[in-house]
Amino acid sequence: DVIKREAAFSSSGSSEGFGLGGGHGGALDALFRRFPPLQQILSVLVGKVPPNIANDPSLTWSEAFLMELLYSRPDIGPENIAARANAIMARKGDGRKHALDEIILSIMGGSAGQVVETMFSLCGGSSGAALPATVTSLFCNLLIDAGCISSEEASSLSTNIQIELLILAAEAILSSFSVQEQSNVGVRAAVRLLLPHAPPRRIEGEV
């Protein structure tokens, strides 16, 4: 607010962004003359991104999007974030989007299942290493418990994603500890992971 009061925006809409106080000896005139880039920096900070910065081809879509969220449209609603990201991706990529961009848009749109799939494929969940496999499995369980992924959705595919991730994590744990010649520790850890999801014990005499 102080900056806005001390300096006026250029009414001509030029790429310079911040004006020089209309030539009336504004408080920031001396600073602008001493350090010309300060005009554009202050212009971005108060929410008016100069066109030469907004359209700079060296800016990635994520940088342009972050600049918009922080300065130009800080009040944008969560439900509109994916749409704005999509628009900036299209502008920066001449209408083309990479596969990773589509994944990011899906996650921004609230697809919790896509989050688990991305963690599994990109964060080492499918590598056979115990830590990423276990983290991916536990994260999937949390999303299901929180209602972000319904139990029906998790089991609607040919394989139940929750069960599949649990089995892969247990196998990775067993393999990891076996390499260290601590198979007994691996078995206990795998059982502790799987036990909360085991079916209840059948009551004796129940048909």
Side-chain angles (χ1 to χ4, degrees):
D1 290 341
V2 173
I3 293 173
K4 288 180 178 179
R5 288 196 302 267
E6 293 291 339
F9 283 108
S10 172
S11 59
S12 62
S14 67
S15 62
E16 294 301 321
F18 235 73
L20 293 177
H24 299 296
L28 296 176
D29 283 1
L31 288 175
F32 288 160
R33 286 193 297 269
R34 190 176 184 86
F35 185 60
L38 183 61
Q39 287 180 273
Q40 294 186 346
I41 293 172
L42 292 180
S43 181
V44 170
L45 290 178
V46 296
K48 184 178 180 182
V49 180
N52 63 323
I53 293 180
N55 300 321
D56 186 347
S58 67
L59 280 180
T60 64
W61 75 263
S62 57
E63 290 170 331
F65 184 47
L66 184 60
M67 186 163 53
E68 179 173 301
L69 286 181
L70 289 176
Y71 307 116
S72 300
R73 299 188 179 184
D75 56 345
I76 187 171
E79 67 278 3
N80 297 321
I81 286 181
R84 286 303 307 155
N86 186 33
I88 294 175
M89 284 179 185
R91 188 178 76 234
K92 287 294 184 180
D94 296 326
R96 301 186 303 271
K97 291 193 287 290
H98 300 292
L100 182 58
D101 295 339
E102 296 289 357
I103 292 174
I104 293 173
L105 284 176
S106 179
I107 293 173
M108 285 181 173
S111 175
Q114 185 68 68
V115 175
V116 175
E117 183 179 340
T118 303
M119 285 185 64
F120 181 76
S121 58
L122 299 183
C123 300
S126 59
S127 65
L131 180 60
T134 304
V135 169
T136 303
S137 175
L138 293 175
F139 188 64
C140 178
N141 294 340
L142 286 175
L143 290 175
I144 292 175
D145 291 342
C148 298
I149 301 178
S150 66
S151 300
E152 293 77 12
E153 181 184 355
S155 59
S156 62
L157 304 176
S158 57
T159 57
N160 186 305
I161 183 174
Q162 183 181 26
I163 293 176
E164 189 71 17
L165 290 175
L166 281 167
I167 293 174
L168 289 173
E171 290 177 346
I173 290 171
L174 288 172
S175 175
S176 177
F177 280 101
S178 294
V179 170
Q180 302 174 44
E181 298 182 354
Q182 294 180 321
S183 299
N184 56 336
V185 178
V187 170
R188 289 199 298 271
V191 168
R192 291 191 64 178
L193 175 68
L194 298 173
L195 193 57
H197 306 277
R201 181 181 301 174
R202 178 177 296 178
I203 300 175
E204 189 175 345
E206 180 181 283
V207 180

